């Protein structure tokens, strides 16, 4: 298999950014000085201004026209354009890959243009477990109020103080303060509503079911658990198996040593601005530790795109507040194409055009998503908070302290060289390495060396797409090796192993026997991690031809058209029209795979 990934940064990319410069020194020629005010001015000037498209009827008509025009006029024109390889965004790409990326980016553009905010799953509806083939729904109780401290408590207070004034900062309106100008984004009738910790929906992924009534597979002591957060720009997506990003927890179970993945359906920005998604992440971590009684040394936190952003924010929270809560933090952190600069400081100057023609993300999607996520906070928060922009250029680089990545667990970063977030991800990596050097000076020995893996010609969140399964297969092979080394631990850890139990178990006269059996089981699990290796993901070639490509594009486009919501007669209503995405396996017939080319699921846009 030809190599599609590399675990180092190209010199030509790393020298572009002066990581030690302060915000006041950051200038880019005609763009001028990099400041919050300048970024807001540029972003608002570029924001879509089609007020008519916010009307449901006009939006529906426009989307249908948009899809037909794209499919029958633009796609054929693109096909002719990309026949010569010199006109392709990447010369290694096939013609079909060029078309899929171009179509996805065009589809991504209508989200901000039409202000589409209805692409997430309705979390009040419970899915029928018998209809699911890979996952098991679970309801997570809210974390105790003592967990509301530090950054989450501060931003939640700001959220409550600004109720009735939730104005998305980078979305255009002629009269921004006019009553009703922002609709449900401002929650004007609910100015007294109290927000905070809430129940959270999630799904256990433990492998494909044999029978529809099967429950999650039992976890033995010592077996690792992944806490995963899906992507979608905080605008859309779901942890349910119908979503494109569910390919990640499915693949982790099949092709890594992590056979238990809890994927969280955190609240999305259209109805729940920051910090409410972070509160859901905190509740999910509390659930694993205190309800499922998973030792923190067996937990790996991860996510893709916006889910990667949330995973990093949760890890920072556990570092900052964990000691006061009796928590030590997860064993490791795995982030895929993480969104690490929600203030777009890395898009200033020439960065605005970096990989603009080779990624699935449009210019307007990120500012729109960020505006909804942070509309309850002061505008400059996106540029001053390391929880929100850990790679932001307006946050001074520091090897230690609250703004740094000091004391983060071993970290594995995956991204595509053709994606628009590449520069900010590389800055995040540079800041992580700076923190590691400071820790080395203090004599702190890392449990395992951090790693960054770049797939040179891959798009944002490439591992969720069947048409990039060759790259995904190599990525999972490398991740499997790293995770096994991380989770197996050392002989010293085996000797000093502590066994946790519930208060009832520890009061039992048989507790010593129970603890001994768990200790033995744990050592056996660790031993298997050291000597075994996960199956390899076989790459799935996209050989269905132009007709399959056009069929995929049509179905993806039509999912963005708002249709009347059916009247629900049962709380277990599950939309039957959504495709069931399956893990990528070379043994599967191509017709059983989802060949979705868009980073969307109904439509699912990853950021």
């Amino acid at each position: 298999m030809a190599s599609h990934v590399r675990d180092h940064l190209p010199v030509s990319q790393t020298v572009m950014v002066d990581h030690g410069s302060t915000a006041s020194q950051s200038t880019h020629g005609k763009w001028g000085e990099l400041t919050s005010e300048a970024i807001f001015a540029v972003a608002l000037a570029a924001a879509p201004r089609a007020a008519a498209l916010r009307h449901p009827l006009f939006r529906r008509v426009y989307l249908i026209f948009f899809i037909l025009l794209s499919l029958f006029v633009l796609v054929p024109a693109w096909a002719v354009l990309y026949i010569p390889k010199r006109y392709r965004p990447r010369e290694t790409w096939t013609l079909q890959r060029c078309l899929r990326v171009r179509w996805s980016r065009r589809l991504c553009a209508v989200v901000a243009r039409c202000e589409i905010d209805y692409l997430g799953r309705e979390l009040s509806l419970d899915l029928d477990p018998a209809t699911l083939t890979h996952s098991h729904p679970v309801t997570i109780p809210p974390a105790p109020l003592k967990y509301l401290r530090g950054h989450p408590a501060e931003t939640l207070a700001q959220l409550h103080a600004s109720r009735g004034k939730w104005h998305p900062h980078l979305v255009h309106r002629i009269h921004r303060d006019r009553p009703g100008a922002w609709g449900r984004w401002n929650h004007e009738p609910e100015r007294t509503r109290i927000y905070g910790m809430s129940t959270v929906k999630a799904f256990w992924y433990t492998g494909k079911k044999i029978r529809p009534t099967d429950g999650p597979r039992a976890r033995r002591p010592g077996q690792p658990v992944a806490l995963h957060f899906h992507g979608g720009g905080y605008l859309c997506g779901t942890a349910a198996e119908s979503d494109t990003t569910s390919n990640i927890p499915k693949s982790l179970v099949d092709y890594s040593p992590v056979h238990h993945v809890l994927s969280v359906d955190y609240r999305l920005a259209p109805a729940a601005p920051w910090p409410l998604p972070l509160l859901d992440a905190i509740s999910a971590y509390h659930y694993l530790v205190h309800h499922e009684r998973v030792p923190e040394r067996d937990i790996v936190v991860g996510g893709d795109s916006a889910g990667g952003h949330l995973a990093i924010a949760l890890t920072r929270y556990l570092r900052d507040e964990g000691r006061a809560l009796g928590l030590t933090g997860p064993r490791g952190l795995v982030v895929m194409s993480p969104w690490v600069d929600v203030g777009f400081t890395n898009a200033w100057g020439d960065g605005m055009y970096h990989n603009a023609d080779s990624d699935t993300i449009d210019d307007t999607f990120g500012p729109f998503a960020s505006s909804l996520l942070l509309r309850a906070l002061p505008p400059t928060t996106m540029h001053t908070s390391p929880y929100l922009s850990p790679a932001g250029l307006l946050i001074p680089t520091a090897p230690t302290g609250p703004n740094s990545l000091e004391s983060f667990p071993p970290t594995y970063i995956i991204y595509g060289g053709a994606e628009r977030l590449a520069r900010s991800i590389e800055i995040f990596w540079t800041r992580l390495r700076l923190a590691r050097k400071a820790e080395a000076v203090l004599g702190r020995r890392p449990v395992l060396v951090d790693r960054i893996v770049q797939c040179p010609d891959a798009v944002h969140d490439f591992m969720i797409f069947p048409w990039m399964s060759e790259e995904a297969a190599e990525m999972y092979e490398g991740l499997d090796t790293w995770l096994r080394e991380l989770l197996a631990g050392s002989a010293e850890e085996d000797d000093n192993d502590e066994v946790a139990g519930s208060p009832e178990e520890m009061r039992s006269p048989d507790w010593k026997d129970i603890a001994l059996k768990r200790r033995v089981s744990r050592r056996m699990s660790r031993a298997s991690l050291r000597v075994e290796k996960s199956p390899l993901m076989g790459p799935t070639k996209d050989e269905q031809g132009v007709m399959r490509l056009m069929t995929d594009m049509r179905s993806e486009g039509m999912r963005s058209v708002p249709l009347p919501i059916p009247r629900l007669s049962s709380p277990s209503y599950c939309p039957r029209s959504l495709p069931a995405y399956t893990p990528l396996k070379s043994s599967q017939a191509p017709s059983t795979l989802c060949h979705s080319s868009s980073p969307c699921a109904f439509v699912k846009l990853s950021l």
Side-chain angles (χ1 to χ4, degrees):
M1 184 186 296
S3 176
H4 292 277
V5 299
R6 55 177 175 233
D7 57 358
H8 61 85
L9 294 181
V11 173
S12 61
Q13 292 181 354
T14 56
V15 300
M16 292 181 183
V17 181
D18 178 10
H19 302 289
S21 64
T22 62
S24 62
Q25 297 170 329
S26 300
T27 59
H28 296 258
K30 65 180 181 179
W31 286 75
E33 184 179 355
L34 174 60
T35 64
S36 290
E37 294 75 13
I39 292 175
F40 293 144
V42 171
L44 275 174
R49 283 168 162 73
L53 298 183
R54 298 198 295 268
H55 189 282
L57 176 60
F58 294 151
R59 176 166 52 193
R60 190 175 304 173
V61 172
Y62 171 79
L63 287 173
I64 293 174
F65 172 78
F66 173 90
I67 293 164
L68 294 177
L69 173 67
S70 301
L71 288 176
F72 297 109
V73 178
L74 295 181
V75 171
W78 298 336
V80 174
L81 172 66
Y82 292 137
I83 289 176
K85 288 191 175 182
R86 65 179 181 275
Y87 293 133
R88 297 178 184 179
R90 301 280 166 145
E91 290 191 1
T92 60
W93 286 2
T94 64
L95 176 60
Q96 285 199 30
R97 181 168 293 188
C98 292
L99 295 178
R100 288 185 182 277
V101 172
R102 186 70 178 266
W103 163 257
S104 296
R105 186 167 65 251
R106 179 166 171 80
L107 198 60
C108 182
V110 300
V111 173
R113 190 179 309 156
C114 297
E115 297 188 358
I116 296 175
D117 66 348
Y118 47 76
L119 301 177
R121 185 174 80 86
E122 176 52 64
L123 297 181
S124 63
L125 304 178
D126 292 326
L127 303 186
D128 182 359
T131 66
L132 305 176
T133 60
H134 289 81
S135 59
H136 312 268
V138 61
T139 300
I140 296 172
L145 288 179
K146 70 177 182 178
Y147 281 73
L148 197 55
R149 53 186 296 123
H151 171 83
E154 295 166 4
T155 48
L156 186 63
Q158 292 174 325
L159 178 149
H160 283 126
S162 64
R163 285 171 299 184
K165 302 175 184 177
W166 291 0
H167 298 174
H169 309 303
L170 304 180
V171 177
H172 175 74
R173 288 290 188 277
I174 297 177
H175 304 289
R176 301 181 66 83
D177 296 324
R178 175 180 293 175
W182 300 106
R184 76 177 183 124
W185 298 341
N186 197 22
H187 289 266
E188 291 181 13
E190 302 182 12
R191 296 189 181 189
T192 60
R193 180 177 176 182
I194 303 299
Y195 297 85
M197 298 289 187
S198 178
T199 56
V200 184
K201 299 297 177 66
F203 294 85
W204 277 111
Y205 287 84
T206 60
K208 189 174 182 179
K209 293 181 180 179
I210 299 176
R211 294 175 296 275
T213 56
D214 286 349
R217 292 171 186 171
R219 173 187 172 272
R220 296 194 308 272
Q223 286 189 318
V225 174
L227 179 61
H228 179 75
F229 303 100
H230 67 83
Y234 292 101
L235 278 182
C236 49
T238 170
E241 62 186 52
S242 59
D243 193 271
T244 318
T245 61
S246 70
N247 278 330
I248 294 175
K250 293 172 187 174
S251 297
L252 285 174
V253 171
D254 289 340
Y255 309 117
S256 87
V258 181
H259 301 313
H260 295 79
V261 180
L262 182 65
S263 189
V264 183
D265 248 342
Y266 55 89
R267 288 170 284 181
L268 298 179
W274 193 268
L276 301 184
L278 178 56
L279 300 188
D280 292 348
I282 294 170
S283 292
Y285 192 87
H286 173 268
Y287 172 79
L288 281 182
V289 174
H290 293 286
H291 289 262
E292 293 291 334
R293 302 200 175 278
V294 179
E296 292 184 89
R297 61 181 176 271
D298 294 337
I299 297 176
V300 176
V301 172
D304 65 292
S305 196
H309 175 271
L310 187 55
I312 293 169
L314 173 63
T315 302
R316 185 180 293 274
Y317 166 84
L318 293 171
R319 182 203 68 178
D320 294 346
E321 311 297 337
R323 180 176 298 179
L325 297 168
L327 299 172
T328 59
R331 181 78 170 190
L333 174 66
V334 177
V335 287
M336 305 175 180
S337 293
W339 189 16
V340 287
D341 181 18
V342 301
F344 308 101
T345 59
N346 288 277
W348 189 252
D350 294 340
M352 182 175 184
Y353 311 106
H354 184 63
N355 287 338
D357 63 344
S358 62
D359 201 8
T360 55
I361 301 175
D362 173 75
D363 293 341
T364 59
F365 178 78
F368 178 65
S370 179
S371 294
L372 295 194
L373 177 66
L374 305 177
R375 66 187 185 275
L377 304 179
T380 57
T381 305
M382 68 175 68
H383 297 138
T384 59
S385 173
Y387 278 85
L388 295 171
S389 295
L393 296 181
L394 289 173
I395 297 177
T397 299
T400 59
N403 288 345
S404 74
L405 298 173
E406 179 186 15
S407 300
F408 262 51
T411 301
Y412 197 95
I413 304 171
I414 305 146
Y415 74 110
E419 69 170 282
R420 304 198 70 169
L421 304 187
R423 282 188 173 181
S424 60
I425 293 170
E426 290 162 8
I427 289 177
F428 179 82
W429 168 254
T430 302
R431 293 181 174 181
L432 179 63
R433 299 309 304 153
L434 184 64
R436 295 298 191 231
K437 290 178 182 179
E439 291 171 358
V441 171
L442 297 175
R444 300 181 195 169
R445 189 180 66 177
V447 176
L448 185 64
V449 175
D450 309 298
R451 252 191 107 184
I452 184 168
V453 175
Q454 183 207 72
C455 181
D457 291 329
V459 299
H460 176 70
D461 226 6
F462 67 91
M463 64 291 302
I464 72 174
F465 300 128
W467 45 273
M468 297 210 80
S469 62
E470 288 185 75
E471 293 85 349
E474 288 194 44
M475 181 273 291
Y476 281 114
E477 184 177 1
L479 178 61
D480 176 66
T481 301
W482 187 85
L483 283 173
R484 287 184 179 278
E485 187 176 354
L486 172 72
L487 295 165
S490 63
E492 181 181 354
E493 286 182 293
D494 285 344
D495 293 339
N496 298 317
D497 210 3
E498 294 183 4
V499 178
S502 67
E504 294 77 13
E505 289 176 325
M506 297 180 73
R507 287 194 296 266
S508 168
D510 299 325
W511 168 240
K512 288 186 178 181
D513 292 336
I514 296 173
L516 177 62
K517 290 179 181 178
R518 288 185 181 175
R519 187 174 288 108
V520 171
S521 177
R522 180 176 180 78
R523 291 185 179 181
M524 292 177 63
S525 296
R526 283 186 169 179
S528 66
L529 285 170
R530 295 186 184 112
V531 300
E532 294 179 1
K533 187 173 179 61
S534 300
L536 299 180
M537 172 193 286
T540 303
K541 296 284 188 179
D542 188 7
E543 299 174 344
Q544 296 303 304
V546 176
M547 293 305 297
R548 180 57 182 262
L549 178 70
M550 295 295 288
T551 300
D552 290 344
M553 290 180 175
R554 184 182 68 246
S555 61
E556 291 158 4
M558 292 309 296
R559 289 187 205 117
S560 67
V561 181
L563 299 175
I565 299 177
R567 190 175 298 275
L568 308 179
S569 57
S570 169
S572 62
Y573 169 81
C574 179
R576 298 287 183 175
S577 61
L578 300 181
Y581 293 90
T582 59
L584 311 179
K585 297 180 181 178
S586 57
S587 60
Q588 288 179 301
S591 60
T592 66
L593 284 171
C594 167
H595 289 261
S596 170
S597 69
S598 171
C600 318
F602 44 14
V603 169
K604 162 71 179 67
L605 290 157
S606 283
L607 183 67

